[in-house]
Structure formats: C-alpha cells, structure tokens
Amino acid sequence: MRYTGPKWKRARRLGYSLLGTQEEFNSHTLKKHEKRTYAPGQHGAAKKKQSEYGKQLTEKQKLRDLYGINERQFRRLFLLARKGNGVTGTVFMTILESRLDNLVYRMGFASTRRAARQLVNHGHIVVNGKVIDIPSYLVQVNDVIGLKESSKDLVVVKNSLEATTAFVPFVEVDKEKKEGKFTRLPERKEINQDINDALIVEYYNRII
C-alpha cells in the first residue's frame, strides 16, 4: 500500500527527504518543526536504540517512499534486480531510476515524482512517439520521452522546466522540444548517495 499522508510527517519519521535531496529536508524540517530531530507522535522523543532489522526496514521505507512505490511493486522490482547481472543493490537502484515516472521527473517535466506520475497517468507522456500511461513502465536506454503534442503547452510542465537548471548525467533534455533521451544506465554514485542499498538487500534476503 502506498503512503498518501503528509510527506513532511513521513519524512521526519524516517529522517530523510522524500522530495529527493537531504538538503531540502534539513532546511524545511528545521524551519517547520523548530529543530525537532525526533520522530512525530506521542513517543517520538523517546530514545531507543534501533535493531539491525529496524535499520534495514527504515532504509527500505526511505527508498520506497522516495520513489512513491507500493510494497508489492517494490518487492517485484527487487526480485527482478536479484535475477540481474551485477551487485543486487546497484541493479535495484538502476531499475528504480529507469521507471517512466522517475525519468519524467529527472527530465524536469514535473517538479516531483508524484506530479510526474500524474502526467503519465493522464496520458500526457509519450515514449518513442507512443503514449504510455503506466508510471512503472521501464524505459530502455536510448528511448526518447516527451510530451504529447496536445500537452506541450501545459503550464505545470513549462514552469517545471523553467525552474530546472541542471539534469542528471544520464539524460539529455531539449527544453524547446519538451523531450529528453535516456542516454545510459546511471552509475551507483550518481543516484541517492544517502541510501544504504546494502541494508535493503539484507532486509529482503531475510524475508524472501
């Protein structure tokens, strides 16, 4: 089940930004919650040493919520990664980055992954000229992602592109044409350095 409650509350409980950068989390959280470093709730301030399983579970939740994926989909992608070639954690992160909703976000067509998911769901996005309305669609290297012709004047897309000043190195974006290319698979060092994927692998290895 995907969490649909307040993002800031979920982020403070996990101690991690769900918008994409830890800097955003630190700035927003310290301002909004008067530097409260503990989790929300009646027992949030209680200090308790986290078990190894607890650390693994928290890390899994951080990554799942960051990409906005429900548990069933998340586990399915992990199993796919475990069958792949290479280090499971790295393969897993690469698969997550290859999702269509994530790449729509990475290319600046949406300001958040949630907004990117809505663009895809509403049929505004095309891959290689064909409308794809499945956010979990796995994009292949060299695929071209863009806006449907009738959707190119969407204000939300225009505003998001104007606000985007830099892109991740594994995409190329033409702001004028409102399209981008997934040029290569990302390297592990290029994505989510604050996530310890080894803990997530350990978590699933013990329950699957």
Side-chain angles (χ1 to χ4, degrees), residues 58-143:
T58 297
E59 206 68 12
K60 188 265 294 186
Q61 291 299 113
K62 281 162 54 175
L63 187 62
R64 187 169 73 81
D65 288 348
L66 179 64
Y67 285 92
I69 305 174
N70 64 41
E71 181 60 34
R72 181 180 59 80
Q73 289 179 319
F74 199 72
R75 182 181 296 206
R76 178 177 63 81
L77 292 179
F78 176 81
L79 292 174
L80 181 63
R82 199 157 68 172
K83 295 177 182 177
N85 296 321
V87 178
T88 300
T90 299
V91 176
F92 187 38
M93 300 289 282
T94 299
I95 291 174
L96 290 171
E97 283 292 318
S98 301
R99 282 173 54 103
L100 179 56
D101 55 356
N102 176 74
L103 286 170
V104 168
Y105 162 70
R106 291 296 198 186
M107 291 178 178
F109 301 139
S111 58
T112 65
R113 289 184 177 87
R114 178 179 290 184
R117 210 157 33 244
Q118 290 180 333
L119 283 178
V120 177
N121 278 329
H122 294 165
H124 296 299
I125 301 298
V126 296
V127 178
N128 299 328
K130 180 181 178 181
V131 173
I132 302 293
D133 59 3
I134 304 171
S136 60
Y137 177 85
L138 294 181
V139 180
Q140 302 301 308
V141 171
N142 292 323
D143 280 354

